[in-house]
Amino acid sequence: MFRSLIIASLLLLVTSPIFAEEQWQAGVARVSITPGAPMWMAGYASRKKPAEGTLAELYAKALVLEAGDNRMVFVTTDLIGIPRTLAVNVSRRVKEKYKLPRKSLLFNASHTHCGPELRPERDYFYGMAEAQAEQIGVYTEKLETALVELIGAALDDLQPATLSYAKSTADFAKNRRFPTDKGFVNRQYDEGPTDHDVPVLQVFSSAGERRAILFGYACHNTSTGIMEFNGDYAGFAQSDIEKDFPGVTALFVEGTGGDQNPYPRGKIELARQHGRELADAVKQAIHEPQQPLPPAIDSAFTEVELEFEPLPPRAALEADIESKNVYRQRKARYLLEKLDRNEPISLTYPCPIQAIRFGETLVMVAIGGEVVVDYSRLVKSTFRSVPFVWVAGYSNDVFGYLPSARVLAEGGYEAGGAMLYGPLPGPFTGSVQDRVMAGVRRVGTDVGFTFPKSLEKQQ
C-alpha cells in the first residue's frame, strides 16, 4: 500500500507543470536609448540641423524565449536601423558573455525618422559638421554596450511562461509608389499592394499574468518629421499598449514597410492617431481566439550576397560633380575619391535572413534592409503549409531598400534612387529577388521545413 502511494506521488510530481520536461521560459527588459544631448536625426536628408529636444523617450527592448535547449532573443529598437557593424559587434560580445549563437539574436528597428543618426558615413552624405559627425561614434559605442547589457537583463529575468498568438488588421498603411507618365513617385496609391496584418504574440507568467506583447505592422514609421526625438506611430502604439495593459512590455517589430506609408501624414497628431489605431488593432487580436504556442523554438541565420550593377563610367561620375543636386554631387565625389585612392568598391552586399520556428504553428522570417511589401506575399507563399507566417523587415542590418523584381523593373526611389543618399553603389541587379528567396528557403530548411521544387520557378 505504501509502495503504491509513493509511486502515485512520484507520478503526480513528474506530470505537474513544474516538473514537465518542456515548458517556456521568458524574460523581458528595456533601456532608454534617447540621446543625452541634441544630435543629428536620421531619415530625412533635407534636415539641416540637430534635434531640438525630446518629445517621447526612445527605447530598446528585449524579449528572451527559451524552450528546452534553445533560446531566442528579440531586440526591438526605436531607431532608423541597426547598422551591420553594430549587429556584428553586439552579437560577438553576447556570444562571448552569454554563449548565445548568432542565430539566436534578432535585431529589429522601428525605422522612426525621429531618432538619432547612427549609420556609418551618413555624416558625409548629409553634410554634417565634424562635431556632429563625432556624436554618431560616441552614441553608437554607448548603444552597443547598452544592448549587450539589455540582453543580459532579459536573460536574468527568465521565468516560466505560456505563449499565444493571434492577429488582426490595421489599414492606415498605404502603398506609396504612385505610377505617372514620368515614372513612380512617392504618393498615396490605393491600388498598390499592402499587408495590413497585425501579428500579436502574447507572453504570460505561470500565474496567467500578461507580461509581454510582441506585435508587428508593415508600414514606414514616418507619420511626422518634427525636430524632436520620438518613436513616431510605433512608439506611441507601444506606449498606448503599455497604458492599456499595466505591467506589460510592448515590443514593436517593423514589417515589410519599404514601400508603405502611413496616411494621412505630416503632423505629430497623426503619429499619435496611427499609434492609437495600431494599439487598438493589438487589443482586437487579444480578444480574438488565441492559438497556444507549445514550448518548441528553433532558429537559423544566413546571409546572401546581393549584386549591384556596375559602376557608372568615370566620365559620368565627373559630370555628376557639376550637378545642381548636392546629393548627386556628394555621391559622385564619394565614389571618385575611393577610386583615386585605389580603395575597393564592392559590387556585392551581404543581406541577413533569419527564420524563427515556433513548433508546427508559427514561423517568423526576418529579412535585412527596407523590405518592400512584395516579400510578404512571397514568404507567405513559400511557407503556405504553416498555419501562421510572420514576415519582418528592417532586421539585423538596415543597409538600404530591398526591392522585389517588380519594384526593380518599375524603377523609382525604392528601386535604387534612394542609394543616392548613402555609400552603397547601387542599384541591385535583377537577381535580387531570387537571391533573397533562396536565402529564405535555406533558413526554412535549416529549421526543418521542406519546400517543393516548383517554388523556385514560381518566385
Side-chain angles (χ1 to χ4, degrees), residues 210-222:
R210 189 178 284 108
R211 298 193 62 215
I213 297 174
L214 187 75
F215 69 104
Y217 193 54
C219 184
H220 245 73
N221 203 10
T222 52

Side-chain angles (χ1 to χ4, degrees), residues 121 158 259 346 366 412:
E121 301 181 58
L158 280 171
D259 53 352
S346 177

Side-chain angles (χ1 to χ4, degrees), residues 315-387:
L317 293 174
E318 291 173 344
D320 279 348
I321 290 181
E322 305 302 321
S323 171
K324 295 181 180 179
N325 184 326
V326 66
Y327 303 105
R328 189 169 296 279
Q329 291 176 21
R330 289 171 183 164
K331 186 60 174 278
R333 191 173 292 111
Y334 173 82
L335 293 173
L336 285 169
E337 288 176 356
K338 275 185 166 291
L339 291 172
D340 290 343
R341 294 193 299 265
N342 292 316
E343 293 181 12
I345 300 175
S346 177
L347 293 181
T348 64
Y349 193 88
C351 174
I353 301 176
Q354 192 170 18
I356 301 96
R357 177 174 183 168
F358 296 79
E360 305 300 320
T361 307
L362 169 67
V363 62
M364 177 188 285
V365 175
I367 305 173
E370 297 194 48
V371 186
V372 299
V373 77
D374 286 348
Y375 284 103
S376 178
R377 174 186 56 82
L378 290 165
V379 172
K380 289 175 181 178
S381 176
T382 297
F383 291 89
R384 61 170 65 98
S385 64
V386 184

Side-chain angles (χ1 to χ4, degrees), residues 106-128:
L106 188 159
F107 302 96
N108 184 272
S110 74
H111 201 57
T112 177
H113 284 40
C114 290
E117 183 58 79
L118 71 162
R119 293 167 295 182
E121 301 181 58
R122 291 294 171 131
D123 57 328
Y124 174 85
F125 290 95
Y126 288 176
M128 296 184 201

Side-chain angles (χ1 to χ4, degrees), residues 170-454:
D171 64 4
F172 62 83
K174 310 292 183 184
N175 194 285
R176 70 182 198 183
R177 289 177 50 80
F178 191 91
T180 72
D181 293 340
K182 297 182 179 181
F184 286 78
V185 298
N186 192 327
R187 190 189 310 166
Q188 182 174 339
Y189 183 44
D190 291 338
E191 297 179 18
T194 59
D195 179 2
H196 287 156
D197 282 356
V198 178
V200 177
L201 187 153
Q202 297 188 79
V203 178
F204 298 87
S205 70
S206 56
E209 297 175 342
R210 189 178 284 108
R211 298 193 62 215
I213 297 174
L214 187 75
F215 69 104
Y217 193 54
C219 184
H220 245 73
N221 203 10
T222 52
S223 303
T224 182
I226 65 170
M227 296 299 295
E228 295 177 286
F229 291 125
N230 70 89
D232 208 282
Y233 80 78
F236 291 119
Q238 292 172 82
S239 177
D240 285 348
I241 291 167
E242 291 175 351
K243 291 174 183 175
D244 293 340
F245 301 97
V248 160
T249 299
L251 305 93
F252 173 77
V253 176
E254 178 64 91
T256 55
D259 53 352
Q260 312 292 299
N261 268 351
Y263 290 102
R265 59 197 296 260
K267 299 178 180 179
I268 192 63
E269 293 80 6
L270 294 171
R272 296 184 189 276
Q273 173 185 313
H274 297 321
R276 183 65 261 175
E277 183 177 342
L278 184 53
D280 287 342
V282 170
K283 289 176 70 176
Q284 179 61 40
I286 287 172
H287 291 110
E288 294 290 331
Q290 299 294 302
Q291 176 66 49
L293 296 178
I297 195 167
D298 195 9
S299 60
F301 181 93
T302 192
E303 291 181 330
V304 295
E305 291 293 323
L306 305 181
E307 294 180 332
F308 295 111
E309 294 286 356
L311 290 177
R314 185 180 182 93
L317 293 174
E318 291 173 344
D320 279 348
I321 290 181
E322 305 302 321
S323 171
K324 295 181 180 179
N325 184 326
V326 66
Y327 303 105
R328 189 169 296 279
Q329 291 176 21
R330 289 171 183 164
K331 186 60 174 278
R333 191 173 292 111
Y334 173 82
L335 293 173
L336 285 169
E337 288 176 356
K338 275 185 166 291
L339 291 172
D340 290 343
R341 294 193 299 265
N342 292 316
E343 293 181 12
I345 300 175
S346 177
L347 293 181
T348 64
Y349 193 88
C351 174
I353 301 176
Q354 192 170 18
I356 301 96
R357 177 174 183 168
F358 296 79
E360 305 300 320
T361 307
L362 169 67
V363 62
M364 177 188 285
V365 175
I367 305 173
E370 297 194 48
V371 186
V372 299
V373 77
D374 286 348
Y375 284 103
S376 178
R377 174 186 56 82
L378 290 165
V379 172
K380 289 175 181 178
S381 176
T382 297
F383 291 89
R384 61 170 65 98
S385 64
V386 184
F388 300 102
V389 182
W390 186 336
V391 188
Y394 298 83
S395 297
N396 298 308
D397 179 10
V398 183
F399 49 82
Y401 284 89
L402 185 65
S404 62
R406 175 187 66 85
V407 169
L408 190 64
E410 291 174 348
Y413 189 75
E414 298 85 0
M419 290 184 178
L420 188 65
Y421 306 96
L424 297 182
F428 291 115
T429 68
S431 68
V432 59
Q433 178 176 301
D434 288 341
R435 289 172 178 266
V436 170
M437 293 312 298
V440 168
R441 291 190 294 274
R442 187 186 310 160
V443 292
T445 300
D446 288 345
V447 294
F449 293 107
T450 58
F451 307 105
K453 290 289 185 180
S454 59

